[in-house]
Amino acid sequence: MSIIEATGICKTYQRGREDVCALRGVNLTIEAGEFVTIVGPSGAGKTALLNILGCLDTPSCGTLAIDGVPVTGKGEAELVKIRREHIGFVFQQFFLIPTLTVGENVGLPLIFSGSPYDRQKIESLLEKVGLSHRAEHFPGQLSGGEMQRVAIARALVNNPRILLADEPTGNLDSITADGIYRLFEELHRQGITVIVVTHNRELAQRAGRVITIRDGLVNGGC
Ligand SMILES: Nc1ncnc2c1ncn2[C@@H]1O[C@H](COP(=O)(O)OP(=O)(O)O)[C@@H](O)[C@H]1O
Ligand SMILES: [Mg+2]
């Protein structure tokens, strides 16, 4: 069974009185444990697609199943549950809370999901991303690469099987970006399904499969 199965996904946004068609019938199947990158020009629909795959947004038409469970048509409460149980999300802007320590930022989703505040879990995640020594620091004291590592640790705290990242290295220099990709490769080796949107073709080629999206269609159309 595929971990993600998207069929005929469309997304239309309203811009004033105009309809903007961001996705025009995307079919995409991703197997558990794959490392996939999504590339394409600006405005192609990459973010629209990732947000739908991650249940942050709903499609205008088409169907999505996560781990064999149909997602389409579910209400926000159910989508929150699916996100919590299956999906970790990483963004270009790290979205850390500046008044919380690194450790507290990583643990925040545990509070939102009503899970026990597992300090050992937080410590082991910080170790995994190479930031054990930064647990008591604040985001403002970190470099961009370190902030993104914190965001990745936070995305993993609920043990998701799927990690989605939208231009995660867009604000980082190439050496730092390389380190973040190494971390994705490591997570992939540990069995997590990793899906990364990037502008950078060279980084994209490091994945097992590169998907190109153009004008709202995958690989030129399907
Ligand atoms: N909230 C929105 N309202 C109106 N149009 C949008 C909205 N979000 C995205 N779009 C449009 O949808 C298309 C795809 O956008 P997006 O998925 O963000 O592209 P990408 O991430 O590939 O750069 C673009 O034409 C964009 O302008
Ligand atoms: Mg985008």
Side-chain angles (χ1 to χ4, degrees), residues 13 15 20 22 41-48:
Y13 295 104
R15 193 185 287 145
V20 179
S42 194
K46 302 183 296 297
T47 295

Side-chain angles (χ1 to χ4, degrees), residues 10 24-25 31-32 49 62 66 70 89 101 121 136 139 147 151 169 180 184-186 198 200 217:
C10 308
R24 306 166 185 267
E31 303 304 328
L49 179 61
I66 306 278
F89 227 111
T101 65
K121 181 86 207 281
E136 301 305 322
M147 283 196 259
T169 59
I180 296 292
F184 287 145
E185 286 160 350
E186 175 63 25
T198 179
N200 186 320
L217 285 171

